Amino acid sequence: MIGVGLAAATTMVLVQAPTASAATWTTFYAQESVKIRQKPTKSSTALGLVPKSAAAKALMSGGSVKVYQGGMHNACGSKGNIKYNQWDKVRYKGITGYVPHPCMLPFKP
């Protein structure tokens, strides 16, 4: 009897961990030519350029563009508000980096 109870006590149940959901990327267009930065700051290394009206993919989260807080900028129609600090993560021609949030539009300018 002791051996049977011990065998039952050592039975293992394997549970699979939930998998992370894949990132969703959606097409957006550059309002004006804008540099893709390595980090979400104006002083970060420029990795490339998205030309005006060019299509790039923006990272989405919950049905909206995922916005990152970063360095201050006054790019792309932010009306000179130097306190604007929101950035989008984008992919363009094999380059992934950050552009100021107001620079990317869901329609071609």
Side-chain angles (χ1 to χ4, degrees), residues 40-81:
T41 65
K42 282 190 334 182
S43 61
S44 179
T45 302
L47 303 173
L49 183 77
V50 181
K52 181 177 181 177
S53 299
K57 298 286 186 179
L59 182 62
M60 304 293 285
S61 176
S64 300
V65 174
K66 183 169 181 161
V67 177
Y68 294 82
Q69 300 301 312
M72 305 293 184
H73 64 81
N74 62 349
C76 300
S78 55
K79 309 297 182 214
N81 182 0

Side-chain angles (χ1 to χ4, degrees), residues 23-41 45-51 54-61 64-68 76 86-106:
T24 303
W25 297 82
T26 300
T27 301
F28 278 77
Y29 300 90
Q31 178 178 328
E32 59 187 55
S33 293
V34 61
K35 292 179 182 176
I36 302 173
R37 302 279 181 183
Q38 187 175 29
K39 297 177 183 175
T41 65
T45 302
L47 303 173
L49 183 77
V50 181
K57 298 286 186 179
L59 182 62
M60 304 293 285
S61 176
S64 300
V65 174
K66 183 169 181 161
V67 177
Y68 294 82
C76 300
Q86 294 181 329
W87 297 73
D88 299 339
K89 189 170 190 176
V90 300
R91 288 191 315 202
Y92 179 72
K93 292 193 174 185
I95 300 169
T96 301
Y98 299 87
V99 298
H101 179 66
C103 294
M104 301 306 289
L105 302 171

